[in-house]
C-alpha cells in the first residue's frame, strides 16, 4: 500500500572538502547531531523519450537507508514535492503506475539512470531536542542506463537540507544564511536525476530548452491557450487519482476551457478536427462532474442543515444525509477512476497532443489577434445576451430555471473565450472576463439551488417511505426556493453591469 509524504528540501553544491559551518548559530537550531553514514542505491525509471523528466516527475526504486522502496515524486513548488512511497519489490506497483498513466500512456518505463550515494547525515534539533531538519552530505555517482550513452558516468558532491514534518520553513532560511556565509551555494539542478541526465547525456551536454517565441498571430494565441489547458489535464490526472482537494474541479474546468476554445475559435482551428475532440471532452467532463457536482451539493445541504435551529430538525436528518452522500460519493469515485483508466481517455490525450503538435489551422489563424480574437469573443457574447434576455422574460418556474442554466453555460463560454484572449488584449479582456464571472456567480448559485431542491425532494420521499418526518427537508426546500428567487432578482443588475457598451467597446479596442 502506497503512502504519501510532503517533502520540503533545498539542495546545495559542495565538494569533498566542504566543511559544515556552525549551524547552531542559525535561528532556532540548538544542536547538530551526527547520525553517521549510509549507502543508497537508486535506479530511476522513465520512458525512452523521458516524458516523466519533462514534467519534473521522478520515479525510482531505492535500496539502503530507512525508506527503501519505490518512490514517485511530484513537484508542488520550488522547494516542495509530494513523495508517494510503495514497498520494495521487483515490479512497479500498480498504484504508482496509475499515477503515471497520463504521462506515459502506452509507453513502458525503463531504467534510465542509476545513482549511488554515500550519505553522511546530521540532525538539526531545537532546544527541546525535537528534529527540525535533516542535513545530508552526499557523494554521488551516476551512471546512464539507456541504450544511448550507456555506461557514461558523472560524479559530484551535494548537500541537502530536508525540513522535518510540521516545522516552520523559516528554519530552512536560517540554515541557508549560515551555509551561504560559509560559501556554500544553492544547486543549479532541481534534483539528482536532472543533474545526472544532463551530465551523462550522449554527445554534447544537453542545453536547456529555450522558450518558444512570443505569440504573434491569432492562431499563436489560441494554440498557446489550448496547449496550456491540455497540459493542465495531464498534470491534474495524478491529483484526481489521489483525491486531492479541488483536483476534480480543476481538471473539469480545463476540459471545459478546451471545449470552449474549440467552439469559439472555430474560425482559427478546423472544426473537422476539433468537433470530435469537443465530444470526447464533453464525455470526460461528464465523468468528472458526477463527483464534483455531488461534492458541491453535499456541502450546500450540510450547510443548510447546520443553519437550522434545533427545533426545525426533526428525525435523523444528518444521518440520512450522510448515508446518501457516502453512497453517491463511492459511485462517483468509481466512475472517475474507470474513466481515467479507459482506453478512450488515453486516446483523447493522444489526440490533444496531436492537435497541438500539428495544429489544423484555418485562414483566420494568420490574422492579427487584435482583430480576430475580440470578434470571436463578442460573437459568443451576442448568443449570451439573447439567452439572458430570454431568461429574464420568463416568469418564475421550471422554464426560467432551464433558461438560466443555459445562460450560465453561455456565460462560462464567453468568460473562457475572454481568458484565452487576455495575453493578446490585456486589461480590457481581463475586465470583461471579471464582469462575466460576476454574472456566472449569480447564475451558478441559482442552478445550485435548483439541484439542491431536486435532492431535497428525493430525500423527503426516502424519509417518508422509511416512516421518518419529512418536515425538515420541506423547510430546506422552501429556503432553497427563496434563495433562487433572490438570485433571479439580482440577475438584471449583474447583467447590466457586465453588458455596458463601453466595456464591449474597450474589448474591440
Amino acid at each position: 500500500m502506497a503512502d504519501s509524504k510532503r517533502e520540503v528540501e533545498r539542495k546545495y553544491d559542495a565538494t569533498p572538502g566542504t566543511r559544515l559551518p556552525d549551524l547552531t548559530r542559525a535561528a532556532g537550531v540548538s544542536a547538530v547531531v551526527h547520525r553517521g553514514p549510509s549507502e543508497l542505491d537508486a535506479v530511476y525509471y522513465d520512458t525512452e523519450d523521458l516524458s516523466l523528466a519533462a514534467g519534473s516527475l521522478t520515479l525510482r526504486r531505492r535500496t539502503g537507508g530507512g525508506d527503501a522502496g519505490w518512490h514517485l515524486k511530484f513537484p508542488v513548488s520550488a522547494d516542495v514535492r509530494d513523495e508517494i512511497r510503495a514497498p520494495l519489490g521487483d515490479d512497479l506497483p500498480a498504484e504508482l503506475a496509475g499515477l503515471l498513466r497520463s504521462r506515459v500512456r502506452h509507453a513502458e518505463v525503463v531504467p534510465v539512470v542509476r545513482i549511488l550515494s554515500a550519505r553522511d547525515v546530521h540532525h538539526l534539533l531545537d532546544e527541546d531536542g525535537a528534529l527540525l531538519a535533516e542535513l545530508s552530505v552526499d557523494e554521488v555517482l551516476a551512471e546512464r542506463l539507456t541504450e544511448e550513452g550507456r555506461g557514461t558516468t558523472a560524479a559530484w558532491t551535494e548537500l541537502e537540507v530536508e525540513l522535518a514534518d510540521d516545522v516552520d520553513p523559516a528554519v530552512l532560511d536560517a540554515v541557508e544564511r549560515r551555509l551561504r556565509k560559509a560559501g556554500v551555494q544553492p544547486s543549479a539542478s532541481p534534483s539528482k536525476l536532472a543533474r545526472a541526465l544532463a551530465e551523462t547525456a550522449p554527445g554534447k551536454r544537453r542545453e536547456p530548452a529555450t522558450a518558444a517565441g512570443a505569440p504573434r498571430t491569432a492562431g499563436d494565441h489560441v494554440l498557446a491557450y489550448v496547449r496550456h489547458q491540455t497540459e493542465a489535464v495531464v498534470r491534474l490526472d495524478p491529483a484526481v487519482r489521489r483525491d486531492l482537494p479541488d483536483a476534480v474541479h480543476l481538471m473539469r474546468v480545463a476540459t471545459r476551457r478546451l471545449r470552449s476554445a474549440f467552439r469559439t475559435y472555430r474560425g482559427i482551428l478546423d472544426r473537422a478536427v476539433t468537433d470530435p475532440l469537443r465530444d470526447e471532452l464533453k464525455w470526460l467532463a461528464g465523468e468528472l462532474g458526477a463527483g464534483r457536482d455531488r461534492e458541491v451539493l453535499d456541502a450546500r445541504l450540510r450547510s443548510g442543515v447546520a443553519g437550522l435551529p434545533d427545533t426545525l430538525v426533526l428525525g435523523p436528518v444528518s444521518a440520512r444525509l450522510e448515508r446518501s452522500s457516502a453512497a453517491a460519493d463511492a459511485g462517483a469515485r468509481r466512475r472517475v477512476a474507470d474513466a481515467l483508466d479507459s482506453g478512450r481517455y488515453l486516446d483523447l490525450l493522444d489526440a490533444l497532443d496531436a492537435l497541438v503538435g500539428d495544429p489544423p489551422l484555418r485562414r483566420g489563424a494568420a490574422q492579427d489577434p487584435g482583430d480576430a480574437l475580440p470578434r470571436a469573443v463578442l460573437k459568443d457574447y451576442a448568443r449570451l445576451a439573447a439567452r439572458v434576455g430570454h431568461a429574464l422574460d420568463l416568469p418564475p418556474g421550471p422554464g426560467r430555471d432551464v433558461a438560466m442554466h443555459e445562460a450560465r453555460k453561455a456565460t462560462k463560454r464567453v468568460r473562457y473565450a475572454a481568458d484565452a484572449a487576455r495575453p493578446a488584449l490585456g486589461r480590457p479582456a481581463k475586465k470583461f472576463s471579471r464582469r462575466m464571472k460576476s454574472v456566472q456567480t449569480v447564475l451558478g448559485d441559482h442552478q445550485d439551488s435548483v439541484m439542491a431542491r431536486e435532492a431535497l425532494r428525493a430525500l423527503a420521499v426516502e424519509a417518508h417511505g422509511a416512516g421518518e418526518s419529512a418536515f425538515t427537508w420541506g423547510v430546506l426546500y422552501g429556503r432553497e426556493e427563496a434563495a433562487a428567487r433572490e438570485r433571479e432578482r439580482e440577475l438584471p443588475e449583474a447583467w447590466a453591469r457586465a453588458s455596458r457598451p463601453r466595456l464591449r467597446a474597450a474589448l474591440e479596442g
Side-chain angles (χ1 to χ4, degrees):
M1 189 69 169
D3 56 55
S4 178
K5 181 181 186 301
R6 176 61 56 89
E7 180 183 82
V8 184
E9 70 173 17
R10 296 181 186 177
K11 294 181 179 290
Y12 302 86
D13 289 331
T15 69
T18 297
R19 295 292 178 264
L20 294 179
D22 180 4
L23 294 176
T24 60
R25 299 181 65 185
V29 179
S30 294
V32 177
V33 178
H34 185 214
R35 305 295 295 179
S38 61
E39 300 289 332
L40 307 177
D41 185 347
V43 175
Y44 288 77
Y45 290 74
D46 207 330
T47 57
E48 287 188 5
D49 61 354
L50 302 179
S51 61
L52 299 184
S56 299
L57 277 66
T58 60
L59 171 66
R60 73 187 179 200
R61 180 184 183 276
R62 188 163 81 179
T63 58
D67 62 347
W70 287 89
H71 304 159
L72 173 59
K73 297 188 180 187
F74 292 95
V76 177
S77 60
D79 299 326
V80 183
R81 290 183 293 181
D82 279 344
E83 182 175 273
I84 317 300
R85 299 175 177 177
L88 189 65
D90 292 335
D91 298 324
L92 175 64
E95 187 171 349
L96 299 193
L99 296 176
L100 298 172
R101 192 170 172 82
S102 67
R103 293 279 181 186
V104 306
R105 315 283 169 83
H106 302 288
E108 182 184 3
V109 292
V110 296
V112 293
V113 168
R114 182 184 185 188
I115 296 180
L116 304 176
S117 300
R119 169 166 290 182
D120 196 25
V121 177
H122 300 74
H123 282 181
L124 311 185
L125 310 178
D126 67 11
E127 60 183 0
D128 297 322
L131 181 65
L132 295 172
E134 180 175 284
L135 183 150
S136 61
V137 180
D138 293 348
E139 299 288 343
V140 182
L141 175 64
E143 178 186 4
R144 192 85 170 201
L145 302 178
T146 54
E147 287 300 323
E148 264 193 299
R150 182 183 295 275
T152 305
T153 62
W156 67 90
T157 303
E158 69 178 35
L159 189 153
E160 292 182 1
V161 184
E162 181 175 347
L163 198 67
D165 294 341
D166 302 319
V167 173
D168 189 340
V171 169
L172 293 181
D173 295 331
V175 171
E176 180 164 308
R177 283 192 291 270
R178 299 304 308 169
L179 292 173
R180 282 178 175 268
K181 193 169 183 179
V184 178
Q185 297 300 314
S187 175
S189 295
S191 67
K192 286 183 174 67
L193 176 62
R195 183 164 181 174
L197 289 173
E199 296 195 6
T200 65
K204 294 189 302 182
R205 179 169 175 165
R206 290 188 176 181
E207 298 296 328
T210 55
R216 294 181 296 107
T217 65
D220 290 341
H221 282 279
V222 172
L223 282 174
Y225 184 78
V226 168
R227 185 179 298 107
H228 180 72
Q229 300 307 323
T230 298
E231 290 170 353
V233 172
V234 172
R235 184 183 70 253
L236 289 164
D237 174 295
V240 171
R241 294 175 187 269
R242 294 169 59 200
D243 199 27
L244 296 185
D246 224 25
V248 168
H249 170 62
L250 293 174
M251 190 174 183
R252 191 184 185 194
V253 167
T255 65
R256 286 175 165 173
R257 286 181 177 274
L258 283 167
R259 291 185 67 223
S260 174
F262 292 154
R263 180 189 178 103
T264 300
Y265 298 111
R266 51 194 172 188
I268 292 172
L269 295 172
D270 189 351
R271 289 186 62 182
V273 176
T274 61
D275 278 0
L277 284 175
R278 286 185 63 233
D279 291 341
E280 291 304 283
L281 288 164
K282 183 178 181 180
W283 160 77
L284 179 57
E287 300 304 292
L288 294 169
R292 173 60 182 175
D293 290 344
R294 185 69 206 192
E295 181 182 309
V296 172
L297 177 61
D298 286 347
R300 190 177 184 100
L301 296 182
R302 288 192 184 100
S303 176
V305 172
L308 289 176
D310 291 344
T311 54
L312 297 184
V313 180
L314 304 183
V317 172
S318 294
R320 175 162 294 282
L321 185 56
E322 289 302 321
R323 286 196 302 271
S324 173
S325 173
D329 185 56
R333 288 172 189 266
R334 285 194 302 271
R335 184 172 170 181
V336 170
D338 288 345
L340 297 187
D341 284 336
S342 69
R344 183 176 182 178
Y345 169 64
L346 294 188
D347 289 344
L348 170 59
L349 295 183
D350 287 343
L352 289 170
D353 283 350
L355 179 141
V356 171
D358 185 18
L361 298 176
R362 301 188 64 197
R363 277 189 303 179
Q367 294 180 359
D368 186 300
D371 296 330
L373 302 187
R375 189 163 58 245
V377 173
L378 292 174
K379 188 174 182 180
D380 273 358
Y381 167 83
R383 294 192 189 93
L384 167 61
R387 291 191 181 187
V388 172
H390 176 62
L392 291 174
D393 287 342
L394 292 173
R400 176 181 272 191
D401 290 344
V402 172
M404 290 184 70
H405 181 46
E406 291 301 312
R408 172 179 175 246
K409 291 190 290 185
T411 306
K412 283 185 179 181
R413 282 198 296 271
V414 175
R415 178 186 159 211
Y416 294 159
D419 287 344
R422 274 177 61 177
L425 306 182
R427 190 169 180 272
K430 181 178 180 180
K431 188 173 183 181
F432 190 82
S433 173
R434 189 167 62 244
R435 291 293 174 85
M436 289 300 115
K437 186 176 182 180
S438 67
V439 175
Q440 181 186 327
T441 298
V442 173
L443 292 169
D445 196 54
H446 181 274
Q447 177 62 14
D448 288 347
S449 76
V450 173
M451 300 304 296
R453 278 178 278 155
E454 290 181 6
L456 288 166
R457 186 181 185 282
L459 287 164
V461 170
E462 290 174 6
H464 179 74
E468 302 165 5
S469 171
F471 173 80
T472 300
W473 307 116
V475 171
L476 291 172
Y477 189 100
R479 290 193 170 194
E480 288 293 351
E481 275 191 321
R485 299 293 85 82
E486 181 63 25
R487 300 296 85 75
E488 290 173 16
R489 286 190 290 271
E490 291 174 0
L491 180 58
E493 183 179 348
W495 176 245
R497 288 196 305 268
S499 59
R500 289 173 182 165
R502 187 171 57 190
L503 187 63
R504 301 196 303 276
L507 187 66
E508 292 180 295

